[in-house]
Amino acid sequence: MSGKDYVSKTEELLKPILDENNFELVDVEWVKEGPERYLRAYIDKEGGITINDCELVSRALSDLLDEKDFISENYILEVSSPGLDRPLKKDRDFERSLGKDVELRLFRPLNGQKEYTGQLKSFDGETICIGLEDGEDLTVSRSDIARIRLAFSF
């Protein structure tokens, strides 16, 4: 089994837990950091996630992972909120962010730069469009985006 399989099976296990509690799944990651492997689930809800929410989901998920036992490697399970700098990944993230300012980082420079900030105007399965400060629109392929998240000014 691959890390991708671990992620998709974990998402399946999480769905009923999250639905029951009106939580949203933001992302699941299978990552190696140093000698450790981590299975991370990022959850959210209207008004924000609390430590008790994370604990509830972590316990329920941990029990299911032990029961199904499909991950052969040692790993550390983490359940947390995605935080303020949460990346936009799924269509619902983009829908929620329409009309808001976003920071965009590309894998390769476009027009001489890799980073842009602008208002998220539209998106589809292939592209996103942001309105830049100079009034121009920038449309880029979603596959060219290294990271996109809400822009915050403090």
Side-chain angles (χ1 to χ4, degrees):
M1 257 193 173
S2 71
K4 209 174 201 179
D5 296 324
Y6 296 160
V7 167
S8 63
K9 284 189 173 284
T10 302
E11 288 174 346
E12 288 173 26
L13 294 178
L14 275 167
K15 185 168 178 17
I17 300 167
L18 299 180
D19 288 349
E20 182 179 318
N21 292 284
N22 293 316
F23 297 159
E24 170 193 345
L25 178 61
V26 175
D27 199 13
V28 174
E29 296 178 327
W30 174 256
V31 294
K32 183 172 173 53
E33 292 178 4
E36 305 291 341
R37 291 264 182 202
Y38 291 86
L39 180 62
R40 292 192 178 116
Y42 297 96
I43 60 173
D44 207 356
K45 73 175 182 189
E46 194 69 37
I49 286 292
T50 67
I51 190 76
N52 291 337
D53 297 332
C54 292
E55 185 179 340
L56 181 150
V57 172
S58 179
R59 285 183 184 192
L61 178 59
S62 181
D63 289 347
L64 285 172
L65 288 167
D66 287 346
E67 179 186 319
K68 302 298 181 191
D69 198 27
F70 58 85
I71 301 176
S72 58
E73 303 172 60
N74 290 332
Y75 64 95
I76 298 166
L77 174 64
E78 293 181 347
V79 176
S80 68
S81 163
L84 283 178
D85 65 347
R86 143 190 196 164
L88 307 180
K89 292 189 173 193
K90 297 178 170 36
D91 283 352
R92 69 175 172 262
D93 298 331
F94 286 96
E95 286 169 20
R96 186 181 19 242
S97 302
L98 281 171
K100 296 181 181 170
D101 287 342
V102 295
E103 295 174 349
L104 175 71
R105 172 174 270 224
L106 302 172
F107 288 113
R108 290 176 279 317
L110 178 65
N111 303 324
Q113 68 185 74
K114 284 177 130 177
E115 295 184 11
Y116 291 89
T117 301
Q119 185 182 62
L120 181 61
K121 295 180 97 173
S122 65
F123 72 95
D124 59 31
E126 304 295 318
T127 62
I128 69 118
C129 177
I130 63 172
L132 303 175
E133 286 181 5
D134 64 7
E136 295 292 315
D137 287 348
L138 177 71
T139 301
V140 295
S141 170
R142 283 171 77 163
S143 62
D144 291 337
I145 298 171
R147 181 177 184 135
I148 181 171
R149 63 184 178 190
L150 289 176
F152 290 98
S153 52
F154 297 96

